[in-house]
Amino acid sequence: ARVLEIARRLSRGEALGIGDEEEEEEEEGCQRHREPLEVFCKEDGVLLCAICRESRAHRAHTVLPVPEVVREYKEQIQAGLQTLKDNRDKLLEFREAEMRRNW
């Protein structure tokens, strides 16, 4: 739910302090068409309703269903977390080895 909310904010440009009022979505869905947001446009980084998805602006773009976007971000976050844990373990091992060497 948090990732979806972040994606919604990013699609509205809130994180950057910008936003095109025509394409701005409300919590309930697409403001322009009053339809639920169903897919995520990878090229533009916005959530789209079915009608916006078929518009000329997005027709040729790669889109992902919202649950898949959430899953993709979750996997990226988990991969990044695992990398951080691995780096932490290496640093702790290095620190322990240095402490033994100095002892």
Side-chain angles (χ1 to χ4, degrees):
R2 294 181 114 192
V3 172
L4 182 56
E5 180 58 31
I6 291 168
R8 282 187 178 132
R9 286 182 182 167
L10 288 174
S11 73
R12 291 189 302 243
E14 288 179 14
L16 303 175
I18 59 171
D20 185 2
E21 289 183 22
E22 280 186 50
E23 292 188 359
E24 193 171 45
E25 299 87 8
E26 294 177 344
E27 288 296 318
E28 301 303 314
C30 177
Q31 184 177 11
R32 183 183 280 170
H33 303 110
R34 305 283 189 234
E35 295 287 326
L37 301 170
E38 298 176 351
V39 294
F40 179 78
C41 176
K42 289 183 81 169
E43 279 81 354
D44 296 326
V46 295
L47 292 168
L48 304 172
C49 72
I51 298 169
C52 289
R53 164 65 181 111
E54 296 304 320
S55 69
R56 270 190 255 155
H58 301 284
R59 189 177 300 149
H61 293 174
T62 304
V63 296
L64 297 171
V66 171
E68 190 173 317
V69 172
V70 172
R71 184 173 40 255
E72 184 178 306
Y73 281 120
K74 184 178 178 183
E75 290 170 1
Q76 289 176 0
I77 290 168
Q78 288 175 336
L81 182 59
Q82 186 60 46
T83 301
L84 290 172
K85 286 179 179 178
D86 293 344
N87 288 340
R88 182 197 63 200
D89 292 343
K90 287 178 186 176
L91 286 171
L92 290 174
E93 288 174 14
F94 178 73
R95 178 178 162 218
E96 189 175 324
E98 283 296 308
M99 289 177 73
R100 281 191 206 133
R101 189 175 68 84
N102 289 334
W103 186 258

